[in-house]
Amino acid sequence: IRLSLVGSEMCIRDRSRKEIKPLEDQIRSVAKTSINGATDVAKLASELIKLGSTETEAAALLKPIDDLSVALRATAEDAAGLVKGLLNAYGEGADQAARYTDVLAAAANKTSLDFNGLRDSLSYLAPVAKSLNLSLEETTSIIGILADNNIKAESAGRLMTTSFTRLATNGMTLN
């Protein structure tokens, strides 16, 4: 499956217009209530498909990820990469997207983290945090505290990944 933009229309190769109609309808619905236009939302859908989402999953992910991109002033495609990557790292499905985007938005609003800091730190830390049974909420809290104490988010992500990996290698947890 491959999406491409033609004007403001989205096309999925190897799919009939009828097959992609639900996704197109969801793109239009999200675009109506967003400051992002239909083209941006279609690009978001395209990115989600490229990241391995089915059309049904992409439709379910559009609204929460679009809202996150607006809230954190990120491109919709970048927000898609972050959220889809976290869902994959934690073994979660599209049904958890709203929770994940709420956690990310809260972390950005309650700490000195911004979108780039969240993305950079969690890209290192999320898979290892999951192996130690740390939730996304706990993981963003740790990164937020470090960022608030003047440790750059990317450095915090790398440092915590190293520490967590050592714990996991030795069969230890944070409990």
Side-chain angles (χ1 to χ4, degrees):
I1 299 170
R2 187 169 130 88
L3 292 174
S4 62
L5 294 173
V6 181
S8 63
E9 293 295 313
M10 182 183 63
C11 303
I12 301 178
R13 293 197 176 123
D14 302 326
R15 295 284 194 255
S16 71
R17 191 81 162 156
K18 184 178 179 180
E19 290 175 305
I20 65 167
K21 183 160 180 14
L23 181 56
E24 286 181 332
D25 291 346
Q26 184 64 15
I27 289 167
R28 287 184 183 96
S29 174
V30 169
K32 283 181 187 176
T33 61
S34 176
I35 63 171
N36 288 330
T39 300
D40 291 328
V41 179
K43 287 179 183 177
L44 168 56
S46 177
E47 187 66 20
L48 289 168
I49 297 292
K50 285 192 285 186
L51 292 169
S53 297
T54 65
E55 290 96 342
T56 303
E57 290 169 334
L61 292 167
L62 285 176
K63 177 87 171 113
I65 293 176
D66 181 70
D67 289 347
L68 180 70
S69 76
V70 171
L72 300 186
R73 296 185 193 113
T75 68
E77 294 97 328
D78 286 346
L82 174 59
V83 174
K84 184 67 175 162
L86 288 172
L87 290 170
N88 290 344
Y90 278 93
E92 300 284 1
D95 61 319
Q96 291 297 309
R99 183 180 131 237
Y100 275 52
T101 57
D102 287 349
V103 169
L104 295 170
N109 287 327
K110 294 178 180 178
T111 70
S112 61
L113 289 168
D114 61 6
F115 176 82
N116 291 330
L118 286 164
R119 181 193 60 209
D120 294 345
S121 59
L122 289 170
S123 67
Y124 292 103
L125 190 51
V128 178
K130 166 66 171 148
S131 72
L132 290 172
N133 294 318
L134 285 177
S135 68
L136 180 63
E137 292 83 352
E138 293 166 320
T139 305
T140 56
S141 294
I142 292 168
I143 295 168
I145 290 167
L146 293 172
D148 287 349
N149 285 284
N150 209 28
I151 297 174
K152 290 185 179 182
E154 184 177 359
S155 296
R158 280 189 271 138
L159 292 169
M160 295 307 299
T161 298
T162 301
S163 300
F164 287 179
T165 300
R166 286 183 183 154
L167 285 172
T169 302
N170 293 316
M172 298 162 61
T173 68
L174 294 176
N175 296 328

